[in-house]
Amino acid sequence: MAFAVRRAGQHAGRLTLVGLVVALVVAGIGGLDAVAERMLQDGAARMMTDAEPDARTVRLVADEASDAAKQDAAVRDAIAAAFAGSDIVVARQATADVRAASRADRFDIGLLDDERVPVLATLAEGAWPKASGQVALSAAAADRAHLGVGDVIVLSDPSVLNGVATELRVVGTWTPRDASDPAWHGDPSVVSGENDDVIGPALVSAGALSELPDPPQVTWEIAPADADLAAIPGLQSGVRALQDVPEVVDPEGRHNMDVVGSLGATLQRQALAVAGTRGLLVAPLLIIALLGALVLGVVLFTLSAAREEEVALLRARGASGRRLALGAAAESALLASAGALLALGGLAVFGSVTTTLALVALGAVVFPAVVAVLFTLRVAGGADGAHPARSDAGLRTLPALILPALVAVAFAALATWQLFSGGSVLRPDGSTDALAATAPALLVIAACALVPVLAAPLAALLERLLRRTSGIAPILPLRQIARRIGGTAVAILCLALAAASVALAVAAPAVASAAEQRALDAALGGDVRMIAEGGVDVTADEAGAWKGVTSAADILRTPLAVGTDAVDLLAGPADALGLAGPIDDGSGDIVGAEITKSLADRLGAHIGTVFTAQVRFAAQPVSIRVTTIVDSLPGLGTDWGVATEPAMLTAAGVELAPDELWLNSDDPATTAERLRAHATHPVRILTAAQVSSAPVTAVAPAVLTAGALIAAVLGVFGFVAASSAMSRSRRDEPMVLRALGLRRSKQRALRAGETTGVAVYAVIAGAAMGAAVAVTVLPVILGAGS
């Protein structure tokens, strides 16, 4: 034991480095994985919270059956079967419209039966209804109808409530706590007091709508109970299965049951963003693991080489190679265990130690022990008379470098093809395509694996080109690199991987920002977008005068039929749609327009092409001349689309009113609230928060940066260790050069120049590879998730 301790103490520096590298690898992989998972969880939750009301739930809507309790039980059972295994919250709501008269006015009033309202709203005056014939009006509705607490609303038709009441008494008024809460289903009357000429909502007591002559409409709202990432696939499956529920519960269609709500779209956005970001984050984890393995391999190789004489002596005294190998393994495992425990202890302070982290730590301990065994047996074999390989094998070592590089390139090419062919990291069924998701990581590793392969031929070529120059300075370092590429390759690979990681981290924010901006342009066309179903309640001129609004545009978006294809037509001001100036082709019968490249490819169109389209709601054909072909259009993206000015449509006899409002604002959230307060028809009001995947995709740059720092440290360790090992293998070189008249100072300068040249080449080539991967692959992954 004392001998083993003394033997280990002679190489304490290298053994300590083993423990330090293991600690970095475990802390890097485990820490980044834990932090990334927590950030992804928070980001996905934010995406769900910020989504527009209609996109946070999915709903079953039907006419209430004569046996409401039986219908409710059947629907809830069907919902539970569809979402089996998913944690969801189901809420029931009933609504009905009745004709009322108050003073000289006649109006429709929207009645609401929802036990959640007292939690979702705050009483402004009075009390909540407790009996049939009592209602609590929203404050905005009370203002519109000129009603207050104590007033009576006389029903102007034979409708009765519970067979008794022919009038409604206002017992309270209320204001919503959050008008964008999905429980309101995007009803504009919650804020404005009116929805399609119906005043409301007027909350009634539980069950008060059951005895109306016409059955009320019942809505079962399904919402995720939590934002757990693991729940997303199950929820997506439930949303798909929910489409079959009307057929199961109401096969004869007696109650007009339908499925509405865009929860599925939000879940898809979450899944895309999470899968893409996770796939991107595999890159730093794999690079850290690979660098850790390389550094440990180099350190243990130099340790075994330093013990050659010692091993030879012990073998001569009768020590077996197996015993020496087991001693080296125990020694390495002990130091590696210390490093792993140090990392685990530090990570445990900030969070729980997961099973994945424990497996990473176990692997980090076992790997150096196995490598120590292999290198010790190799040295022991050399002590028995085997001849070590020459270090100046030159280009003959290239096949050994090319084979793993080609394997890496093959895997990377397959993953990249999978990603680009599908255009996403998700399969059509919603599951993650693991191969496509790892494309960035495999591409970085494959690209960096080619860097040392190219070093030897490049050095040989430069040496040949410079052979006629006088002096040994440029020739000898290049010749040494070309002929000793075997050891130099490891040093180059370590530094290239580190540089590629840094380049990927540096490029990621810009690429992510560009992908996010393209997604926002396609979804919004500005900072705020209002999509009206029954009419725009606020014009661009009115909204443009609001505080904080910098520009506003009335936009018409309507479907076109081009042959059998459905195409979107956008008509609005040239600056809002990004049109290349006013469109004027000299003919009032032909509409000049920009079209997207995807539509041009579909039609085989080019500038000047004229095609005929049917404007759906105008019920007339129009001729459209292509004036410009663009990659994408605001508010539409790269889909099939046509953009023109309203005057062009008017001249062609198409008269359609705008149905959207696009605004740019210094305070989008406040502007959106103001639009909602003015809406008296169903609308969708979108801002960046409602459509952005940035809460999830923004995790990538942060984690890539942290991973790049760890990779840089390991890369420097690996480069220094590999360069040191090369110097040891060239111990006889200084004597030969000295005999040729080369001073020691000159030799040191040549060696420093060689090392510097290798480092510069590795850094530049690695950074170029990392930047190329970022520009090529990141837009696809992050763009799909946005």
Side-chain angles (χ1 to χ4, degrees), residues 480 727 729-744 747 751:
Q480 293 288 21
S727 297
S729 68
R730 292 160 60 176
R731 293 180 292 192
D732 299 333
E733 181 181 303
M735 187 179 301
V736 175
L737 294 176
R738 187 77 179 93
L740 294 175
L742 209 61
R743 299 189 307 274
R744 293 188 182 277
Q747 291 184 42
R751 184 67 60 83

Coordinates of all heavy atoms in Angstrom, one line a residue, residues 480 727 729-744 747 751:
Q480 N 7.3 18.5 -39.7 CA 6.9 17.8 -38.5 C 5.4 17.6 -38.3 O 5.0 16.5 -37.9 CB 7.5 18.6 -37.2 CG 9.0 18.7 -37.1 CD 9.6 17.4 -36.7 OE1 9.0 16.3 -36.9 NE2 10.8 17.5 -36.2
S727 N 5.8 16.4 -27.4 CA 7.2 16.8 -27.0 C 8.0 15.7 -26.4 O 9.2 15.5 -26.7 CB 7.1 18.0 -26.0 OG 6.5 19.1 -26.6
S729 N 7.5 12.5 -27.0 CA 7.8 11.5 -28.0 C 9.0 11.9 -28.9 O 9.5 11.1 -29.7 CB 6.6 11.2 -28.8 OG 6.2 12.3 -29.6
R730 N 9.3 13.2 -28.8 CA 10.4 13.8 -29.7 C 11.6 14.2 -28.9 O 12.3 15.1 -29.1 CB 9.9 15.0 -30.5 CG 8.8 14.6 -31.5 CD 7.9 15.7 -31.9 NE 8.7 16.8 -32.5 CZ 8.1 17.9 -33.1 NH1 6.8 18.0 -33.0 NH2 8.8 18.8 -33.6
R731 N 11.9 13.4 -27.8 CA 13.0 13.7 -26.9 C 14.4 13.7 -27.6 O 15.3 14.4 -27.3 CB 13.1 12.7 -25.8 CG 11.9 12.8 -24.8 CD 12.0 11.8 -23.7 NE 11.8 10.4 -24.2 CZ 11.7 9.4 -23.3 NH1 11.6 9.6 -22.0 NH2 11.5 8.2 -23.8
D732 N 14.5 12.8 -28.6 CA 15.8 12.7 -29.3 C 16.0 13.7 -30.4 O 17.1 13.9 -30.9 CB 15.9 11.3 -29.9 CG 15.8 10.2 -28.9 OD1 16.2 10.4 -27.8 OD2 15.4 9.1 -29.3
E733 N 15.0 14.4 -30.8 CA 15.1 15.4 -31.8 C 16.1 16.6 -31.5 O 16.9 16.9 -32.4 CB 13.7 15.9 -32.2 CG 13.7 16.9 -33.3 CD 12.3 17.4 -33.6 OE1 11.4 16.6 -33.8 OE2 12.0 18.7 -33.5
P734 N 16.0 17.2 -30.3 CA 16.9 18.3 -30.1 C 18.4 17.9 -30.2 O 19.2 18.7 -30.7 CB 16.6 18.6 -28.6 CG 15.2 18.2 -28.4 CD 15.1 16.9 -29.2
M735 N 18.8 16.7 -29.9 CA 20.2 16.3 -30.0 C 20.6 16.2 -31.5 O 21.7 16.7 -31.8 CB 20.4 14.9 -29.3 CG 21.8 14.4 -29.2 SD 21.9 12.8 -28.5 CE 21.2 13.2 -26.9
V736 N 19.7 15.7 -32.3 CA 20.0 15.6 -33.7 C 20.2 17.0 -34.3 O 21.1 17.3 -35.1 CB 19.0 14.8 -34.5 CG1 19.2 14.8 -36.0 CG2 18.9 13.4 -33.9
L737 N 19.2 17.9 -34.0 CA 19.2 19.3 -34.5 C 20.4 20.0 -34.0 O 21.0 20.9 -34.7 CB 17.9 20.0 -34.2 CG 16.7 19.4 -34.8 CD1 15.4 20.2 -34.3 CD2 16.8 19.5 -36.4
R738 N 20.8 19.8 -32.8 CA 22.0 20.4 -32.2 C 23.2 20.0 -32.9 O 24.1 20.8 -33.2 CB 22.1 20.1 -30.7 CG 23.2 20.9 -30.0 CD 22.7 22.3 -29.7 NE 23.7 23.1 -29.0 CZ 24.6 23.8 -29.6 NH1 24.6 23.9 -31.0 NH2 25.5 24.5 -28.9
A739 N 23.3 18.7 -33.3 CA 24.4 18.2 -34.1 C 24.5 18.9 -35.4 O 25.6 19.0 -36.0 CB 24.4 16.7 -34.2
L740 N 23.4 19.3 -36.0 CA 23.3 19.9 -37.3 C 23.6 21.4 -37.2 O 23.5 22.2 -38.2 CB 22.0 19.7 -37.9 CG 21.6 18.3 -38.3 CD1 20.2 18.1 -38.8 CD2 22.6 17.8 -39.3
G741 N 23.9 21.9 -36.0 CA 24.2 23.3 -35.8 C 23.1 24.2 -35.4 O 23.3 25.5 -35.4
L742 N 22.0 23.7 -35.0 CA 20.8 24.5 -34.7 C 20.8 24.8 -33.2 O 20.8 23.8 -32.4 CB 19.5 23.8 -35.1 CG 18.3 24.7 -35.4 CD1 18.6 25.6 -36.6 CD2 17.1 23.8 -35.7
R743 N 21.0 26.1 -32.8 CA 21.0 26.4 -31.4 C 19.7 26.0 -30.6 O 18.7 26.0 -31.2 CB 21.3 27.9 -31.2 CG 22.6 28.3 -31.8 CD 22.9 29.8 -31.4 NE 21.8 30.7 -31.6 CZ 21.6 31.3 -32.8 NH1 22.5 31.0 -33.8 NH2 20.6 32.1 -33.0
R744 N 19.8 25.8 -29.3 CA 18.6 25.5 -28.5 C 17.6 26.5 -28.6 O 16.4 26.3 -28.6 CB 19.0 25.2 -27.1 CG 19.9 23.9 -26.9 CD 20.1 23.6 -25.5 NE 21.0 22.4 -25.3 CZ 20.5 21.2 -25.4 NH1 19.3 20.9 -25.6 NH2 21.4 20.2 -25.2
Q747 N 15.8 26.2 -31.7 CA 14.9 25.0 -31.6 C 13.6 25.3 -30.9 O 12.5 24.9 -31.3 CB 15.6 23.8 -31.0 CG 16.7 23.3 -31.8 CD 17.3 22.0 -31.2 OE1 16.6 21.2 -30.6 NE2 18.7 22.0 -31.2
R751 N 9.9 25.2 -32.2 CA 8.8 24.4 -31.6 C 7.6 25.2 -31.2 O 6.5 24.8 -31.3 CB 9.4 23.7 -30.3 CG 8.4 22.8 -29.6 CD 8.1 21.5 -30.5 NE 9.3 20.8 -30.8 CZ 9.9 19.9 -29.9 NH1 9.3 19.7 -28.7 NH2 10.9 19.2 -30.3

